[in-house]
Amino acid sequence: MCNSCTMDDWDQKDIENWAKGGCKAESVVVLQRPSAQSYPNTFVIMWKNVRLGFRNKVYDHLCLDVHYQGDKIEKDKALVSLGGLWVKGITGAMKPQQHPGQLSAKLKAHVSSTAPDPDGMEKFGNY
């Protein structure tokens, strides 16, 4: 499946199917990720209570790093790329931009082409 993934093939397939189905979740939150080193202007999209797989197992959250231009967290900068994707409760991660198929395109449909306004937004990650 994906040479740049540490997540197993079945979990990757479940995420691909979830993305094809419209990235459904109970709610979606966008958070700052100022701990990102390669791309300092990074935000996290967190889909909460996500159903994955043929058993419809509910996972607490699925997160995607979204990298924008800039050397610090700031709004209105252009999208550079999608970063890591991980699910709480599933071991491993994916890199949608390097994943074969349409995963990156499906996820980008839910991502702003410019960085959101970070004012009042919670931070996510290690500092």
Side-chain angles (χ1 to χ4, degrees), residues 6 10 14 16 28 35 53-54 57-58 68 70 78-80 84-85 90-91 93 95 106 112 122 127:
T6 57
W10 288 106
D14 287 345
E16 289 172 12
V28 181
S35 60
F54 66 93
K57 183 172 179 186
V58 177
Y68 294 95
L79 176 67
V80 174
L85 179 149
I90 294 178
T91 300
K95 294 184 179 179
K106 296 292 183 192
S112 175
E122 289 184 48
Y127 306 102

Side-chain angles (χ1 to χ4, degrees), residues 9 23 27 36 43 84 86-87 93 96 100 103 109 114 116 120-121 126:
D9 289 350
C23 299
S27 63
F43 292 81
W86 66 98
V87 180
L103 181 60
T114 58
M121 189 180 285
N126 299 319

Side-chain angles (χ1 to χ4, degrees), residues 9-27:
D9 289 350
W10 288 106
D11 291 327
Q12 289 179 54
K13 195 64 163 164
D14 287 345
I15 289 169
E16 289 172 12
N17 289 334
W18 169 79
K20 283 182 196 174
C23 299
K24 294 178 181 149
E26 188 175 289
S27 63

Side-chain angles (χ1 to χ4, degrees), residues 44-63:
V44 172
I45 297 178
M46 180 184 287
W47 288 268
K48 294 187 174 186
N49 297 321
V50 175
R51 291 187 181 275
L52 294 177
F54 66 93
R55 292 186 199 134
N56 279 323
K57 183 172 179 186
V58 177
Y59 291 89
D60 183 52
H61 61 259
L62 184 150
C63 295

